[in-house]
Amino acid sequence: MNKSELVAAIAEKSDISKKDAEAALKAFTEVVAEELKKGEKIQLVGFGTFEVSERAARMGRNPHTSEPMEIKASKAPKFKAGKALKDSLNK
């Protein structure tokens, strides 16, 4: 499912226009991104949790030259599915 299909499904499920559904989806993704940038955690009970995972700096190898190189520390978004979501998939 791509973004336009998701917007159409949200509009149909909630009985709103596609324009309103797209605005709501955009607002949701912006709020999640802003909160994760601040280091906050977003917990949607029954659905899951969005949080930031921190990766430490480490040494790696360049696959072309086999030379050692430093890989910088970074942050990555992480999603952990909630129990209700997991249970709904396994019915």
Side-chain angles (χ1 to χ4, degrees):
M1 176 180 275
N2 62 29
K3 183 179 176 183
S4 62
E5 293 169 338
L6 178 59
V7 166
I10 291 170
E12 186 178 323
K13 277 267 193 199
S14 58
D15 197 28
I16 59 175
S17 70
K18 286 184 182 180
K19 183 178 179 181
D20 290 342
E22 186 170 9
L25 180 61
K26 183 177 181 188
F28 173 77
T29 57
E30 287 175 356
V31 169
V32 169
E34 289 169 5
E35 292 302 308
L36 291 177
K37 282 181 189 175
K38 290 190 249 180
E40 297 294 323
K41 180 165 80 168
I42 296 102
Q43 187 171 10
L44 303 172
V45 176
F47 183 71
T49 304
F50 295 92
E51 59 189 335
V52 177
S53 173
E54 301 206 16
R55 297 178 183 162
R58 63 190 190 280
M59 290 301 292
R61 291 210 174 269
N62 181 328
H64 294 291
T65 64
S66 295
E67 291 179 27
M69 58 185 277
E70 182 180 346
I71 301 171
K72 295 180 183 178
S74 64
K75 296 179 182 179
K78 184 168 100 174
F79 177 76
K80 181 179 177 187
K83 184 178 183 327
L85 179 59
K86 289 179 193 175
D87 290 347
S88 72
L89 296 175
N90 293 309
K91 282 188 177 181

